[in-house]
Amino acid sequence: MEAQDWKANAKNILKSELARKGVDYETLATKLKELGIEESYNSINTKINRGSFTFQFFLQCMKAIDVENIRI
């Protein structure tokens, strides 16, 4: 797999988990803020759509939306 493939895969996994939980980017920003993580709608949108976010950001998102297990 090439770098673009990995980015697309990461983006799709995160978007799928958000969709499963019925969480949009605005709600995600609110949930992250409750964890003490400041992210705006625009920064979340940019990070997710380019697919090159950090694993730390991914874990923060999973915690914010109460996901304990993911399928890869």
Side-chain angles (χ1 to χ4, degrees):
M1 278 176 53
E2 296 191 26
Q4 285 305 107
D5 298 324
W6 288 108
K7 288 179 182 181
N9 196 21
K11 173 175 64 173
N12 290 337
I13 290 170
L14 182 48
K15 283 185 167 188
S16 293
E17 293 301 325
L18 290 169
R20 256 189 270 283
K21 293 289 188 167
V23 175
D24 60 19
Y25 295 166
E26 194 67 46
T27 304
L28 178 58
T30 301
K31 289 179 174 287
L32 287 169
K33 187 172 186 170
E34 291 169 2
L35 295 175
I37 302 158
E38 294 292 329
E39 291 283 352
S40 68
Y41 168 88
N42 288 334
S43 69
I44 290 170
N45 183 43
T46 301
K47 284 180 183 184
I48 293 175
N49 285 319
R50 76 174 180 236
S52 60
F53 44 82
T54 65
F55 189 61
Q56 175 183 338
F57 176 75
F58 179 83
L59 290 176
Q60 290 168 336
C61 291
M62 294 300 101
K63 179 71 173 174
I65 64 173
D66 296 318
V67 172
E68 294 183 11
N69 298 300
I70 59 164
R71 290 187 64 154
I72 298 177

